[in-house]
Amino acid sequence: MRRIFVGFLILALFGCSTLDKDLPLEIELNTNWQFKGINTLDWKSASVPGNIFTDLLSHKVIEDPFIKTNEEKVQWVSKKDWEYKTNFSLSEEILNKKNIELNFEGLDTYAKIYINGNYQLNTDNAFKRYTISLKDIPMYKSNELKIVFENIGSIENPAKLNSKYKLPEGKRIYTRKAQFQYGWDWGPKLNTLGIWKPITLKAWDDLKFENIYIRQKEIDKDKALLSVEIIIESKDDRNIQLFTKINKEIISSNISLKKGKHTYKVPIEIINPKLWWTHNLGNPYLYNFNFQLISDGKIKDEKSIKKGIRTIKLIAKKDTIGESFYFELNGKPVFMKGANYIPQNNFQNKVTNQHYEKLLSDVVESNMNMLRVWGGGIYENDIFYDICDEKGILVWQDFMFACAMYPGSIEFLANVKEEAEQQIKRLRNHTSIALWCGNNENAEGWRRWGWQAKRTKKEKEEIWNDYLAVFDTILPKSVAKLSETNYWETSPKYGRGNPKYQMEGDAHDWWVWHDGYPFEHFEKNVPRFMSEFGFQSFPSFETINYINQNDTINLKTDAIKLHQKHAKGFQLIEEYMNRNYKISKNEEDYVYVSQLLQAKGIVMGIEAHRRAKPTNMGSLYWQLNDCWPSISWSSIDYFGQWKALQYKAKNAFKNLLISSTIEKNKVKIFVINDTFNPIQGNLKVTLIDFYGKEIWKDSKEIQVLENSSKPYFNFSLESIKSESSVLITEFKNQQSVFFFTKPKDLNLPKGIIKKVVSKTKNGFSIILTSDVLQKDMFLFSKGKGHFSDNFFDLIPNQNKVIKFITKENSLNDLRIKTLNSIHNTLLPIEKNP
Ligand code: BMA
């Protein structure tokens, strides 16, 4: 492609506002759709975008696979072939345009497209966009579009038979679609098929924007040098004008267009730019860029892009420990706090804009500044990244490959290359994207999961070379060519088999959970950046009842068993619970304690990682959300309910954190400061018993350095009664509550809890007090809503005010559980005075 530099001048006014518009016409083909099985069922109405499961569900042909054991009953659906059709009309205006194209944003997956009965093309990648030019074929006022989908087995079975070697893990590797749909250890096997993204028709005459990329050349606080790379498609050579409006300022450029698709560069300089920061460090400021293409005195095309000015770099360079792994935002090292993100639903058409808005608001509320979009799911919709840009959340973006070795045929590599290029181009203007990562655990699997056993040297070499072709050549080259984002080959860099995991790169700690190691493993083995570590828990009562379709909590049903996808899941929860908590036979209590257990383990990890700053510079736990109602590692369940972990992670991820730990019979109190300002203040340390009696106290004036972690206070454990005392540390407006022993060994007294509930504008306010320390107080109600805080420790004789944000008119069913109530038999709760 030729690159042509253009001259530019700055105008005082946006001169084009009075011009007529002759923009490309765009129509979404989302109506009149019907579907049927090949040789089965009659034509029935369909939703597009959508998928075969939700269409069958809306016609009651299948039962909801998310409830009871229905997942098992619907497996036949993915084994059949299905067809979809619609009629669409084209107006004279469209028919007269010089170009008409049909864009398929996402077909899942093996489809044949027919227009007016004539075959057009085959698709084989759900992550790719396909285009058909309608100018090359006869089109009428009314037209039929038909898409015939072949079941994945009919393509994957021969692919497997023809494969030179048997590759791990199953047949999914032959199909470029969301890998979790084949079943994962937190997700059902619901392999969708259908038109999962919009189909749009675009018509235009002589020219249009093909793509616009705002490349950041040089950025510092005084100046931002950008190069806007604009690809314009034109029917002929002609002179045009381009208006570029940045907030209110306009640049007008004269461009001599060449026929065809070419790239034109517009240099832009912004003096004293407002830099984009993650929400926890500043303002995620976005500039508004508007582009207009002027020819023949008309606006021929226009496009808007919101873009933050920032530099984001992965710093992986040799140091005294090994090799660093941290992100530098606008030149400052930033500790990454967050979680791994998976698709929000097995059926993508069920994920609404509100779901994105709510989940990403939760992320901000929980003080997280990074999400990792994990490689077994999907490249997310634009709205996901738009919201991350706006809210100041960074995104670690995996390419969609996970836990397997993939084929290396010429066709497969070409398919992957095109997929990667399309996705990089689609996402590269997003300020939130901090990293492209090749895959999830492919290299780790190859090295450690027995995949090399019984293979010849040649076979191993060939399989590894195929790996390198994708992850060491195609993907990094595409990222470097098309964007300025850093690339990382695989996550984790070193797995459990290589001690270097503590010295270099990112790490996944699955000794805890998969290998049954105690939670304390997180404290003793801190890597440079923890990109995965996790522990399961039961979801909210609402979700459990939904799975069972029953109002009482019952954890022993076949439905609950089916919604736990990890073979040893229940056993591991019980084992770890035994080590840390008293186990209750009451199933409601069991659910509650399972959530405390998960939170305890993960927060232990988060705090250890943060204390180890700057050796360690990131803590992303596994996993933020769920794709169906399940027992999983998530901290927010399928219905958006926060588990204990979400509340406790919110505290553990605050910019200013007090974190205590026991080392060699000494208690060390760390203060971690993620801000770029030093913080001066009085550190107050008080030891009390569970009735609030002060045992001793101390205080110290401290100066906490910017962007640092350091112990500021320590004392000996000797003479501390660990079962009956608790350490309260206060600094600035932060308070930390630290216990000296495991919850199961605490002598938690019964005490009395007083609650005063009053109505507020958007819900209720609840004032809580108790005469004794109440550990892990959990408020719950059947009403839909969100508690501002939950699963907290209530200090004796101190008021705690909680807000319940809800549209419900009453909170009469408010109930409270604490660990004290499990350690004792029954906890009396006083009524409102
Ligand atoms: C991680 C992920 C997933 C998996 C999770 C829990 O390694 O990458 O593959 O679901 O572990 O086992």
Side-chain angles (χ1 to χ4, degrees), residues 416-516:
V416 164
K417 183 164 181 267
E418 214 181 308
E419 165 191 327
E421 292 190 350
Q422 284 192 10
Q423 294 294 345
I424 298 163
K425 274 177 138 177
R426 181 172 70 91
L427 299 179
R428 62 188 173 171
N429 281 319
H430 287 285
T431 313
S432 51
I433 297 203
L435 185 72
W436 277 101
C437 173
N439 65 73
N440 173 73
E441 295 184 345
N442 294 10
E444 153 77 341
W446 180 246
R447 292 188 184 117
R448 228 188 61 91
W449 297 352
W451 294 348
Q452 298 190 45
K454 296 195 194 128
R455 293 186 196 269
T456 63
K457 191 164 169 271
K458 181 165 168 278
E459 189 173 340
K460 285 195 267 193
E461 252 171 43
E462 287 195 16
I463 296 174
W464 186 246
N465 283 340
D466 288 346
Y467 170 94
L468 292 177
V470 175
F471 303 108
D472 197 36
T473 306
I474 294 175
L475 298 183
K477 276 195 176 162
S478 306
V479 172
K481 183 174 84 180
L482 298 170
S483 79
E484 62 221 76
T485 307
N486 288 126
Y487 175 82
W488 186 246
E489 179 197 302
T490 183
S491 181
K493 171 153 187 179
Y494 295 114
R496 278 177 274 171
N498 191 335
K500 275 180 153 177
Y501 84 95
Q502 279 189 53
M503 299 158 207
E504 285 182 27
D506 68 319
H508 295 183
D509 187 336
W510 286 108
W511 281 277
V512 174
W513 181 264
H514 286 291
D515 291 351

Side-chain angles (χ1 to χ4, degrees), residues 56-322:
L56 290 169
L57 190 57
S58 67
H59 288 281
K60 302 202 167 60
V61 179
I62 57 168
E63 289 175 79
D64 184 352
F66 281 12
I67 60 176
K68 299 192 191 163
T69 53
N70 290 346
E71 178 202 352
E72 289 169 340
K73 297 186 206 159
V74 300
Q75 292 306 317
W76 62 271
V77 174
S78 321
K79 296 186 184 128
K80 297 248 177 279
D81 300 334
W82 300 92
E83 56 189 323
Y84 280 75
K85 69 171 185 188
T86 188
N87 276 306
F88 63 99
S89 45
L90 295 179
S91 63
E92 280 299 315
E93 191 190 4
I94 292 182
L95 282 169
N96 289 335
K97 291 279 175 194
K98 292 184 191 150
N99 301 280
I100 315 174
E101 64 181 27
L102 208 48
N103 292 309
F104 301 83
E105 301 296 339
L107 298 177
D108 179 11
T109 296
Y110 298 112
K112 282 192 175 59
I113 303 172
Y114 298 84
I115 295 173
N116 297 326
N118 299 318
Y119 165 78
Q120 301 300 324
L121 68 88
N122 256 12
T123 72
D124 63 355
N125 189 330
F127 300 128
K128 259 166 51 179
R129 168 192 227 242
Y130 292 85
T131 300
I132 296 174
S133 167
L134 301 186
K135 270 290 165 183
D136 308 335
I137 50 177
M139 293 304 293
Y140 311 96
K141 281 198 173 153
S142 175
N143 302 278
E144 188 197 66
L145 169 64
K146 188 160 95 178
I147 308 176
V148 179
F149 291 93
E150 219 171 324
N151 73 83
I152 44 167
S154 67
I155 309 287
E156 289 171 355
N157 292 331
K160 190 180 166 193
L161 274 179
N162 296 333
S163 177
K164 208 163 161 195
Y165 307 118
K166 190 169 178 279
L167 293 170
E169 279 274 287
K171 287 179 278 187
R172 64 178 167 86
I173 54 168
Y174 298 106
T175 303
R176 294 306 300 143
K177 71 179 327 232
Q179 303 279 280
F180 81 107
Q181 296 181 349
Y182 291 73
W184 217 263
D185 56 4
W186 36 259
K189 184 174 167 190
L190 290 171
N191 212 320
T192 57
L193 171 158
I195 305 164
W196 77 301
K197 298 210 166 200
I199 300 176
T200 50
L201 188 137
K202 191 164 180 167
W204 74 99
D205 274 328
D206 299 317
L207 66 164
K208 71 167 170 72
F209 286 131
E210 172 66 21
N211 190 276
I212 300 182
Y213 175 40
I214 305 172
R215 189 184 282 276
Q216 308 192 143
K217 308 279 280 185
E218 263 177 64
I219 297 191
D220 57 41
K221 63 178 186 1
D222 305 320
K223 202 167 58 188
L225 291 180
L226 314 176
S227 169
V228 183
E229 299 178 2
I230 303 180
I231 303 176
I232 301 174
E233 183 178 348
S234 175
K235 275 268 166 222
D236 44 25
D237 289 1
R238 61 168 70 201
N239 292 328
I240 57 124
Q241 231 184 344
L242 174 82
F243 286 115
T244 307
K245 188 169 157 199
I246 306 145
N247 287 354
K248 287 190 179 133
E249 216 165 306
I250 299 142
I251 297 171
S252 166
S253 328
N254 297 315
I255 307 180
S256 301
L257 286 192
K258 294 271 164 258
K259 185 177 172 203
K261 275 185 205 171
H262 297 281
T263 302
Y264 306 88
K265 292 185 179 178
V266 180
I268 287 177
E269 190 177 293
I270 299 178
I271 303 295
N272 297 326
K274 283 191 198 168
L275 295 182
W276 182 96
W277 287 97
T278 51
H279 67 91
N280 66 320
L281 296 173
N283 182 10
Y285 183 81
L286 298 176
Y287 283 85
N288 284 311
F289 285 81
N290 290 294
F291 302 93
Q292 286 184 328
L293 204 54
I294 319 291
S295 178
D296 306 329
K298 286 188 180 152
I299 304 168
K300 293 287 189 178
D301 202 355
E302 56 188 6
K303 197 170 164 60
S304 303
I305 296 171
K306 284 187 167 189
K307 174 97 185 164
I309 308 284
R310 55 97 182 98
T311 57
I312 180 82
K313 287 190 190 132
L314 170 67
I315 309 292
K317 57 168 201 246
K318 297 269 171 275
D319 61 15
T320 51
I321 306 164

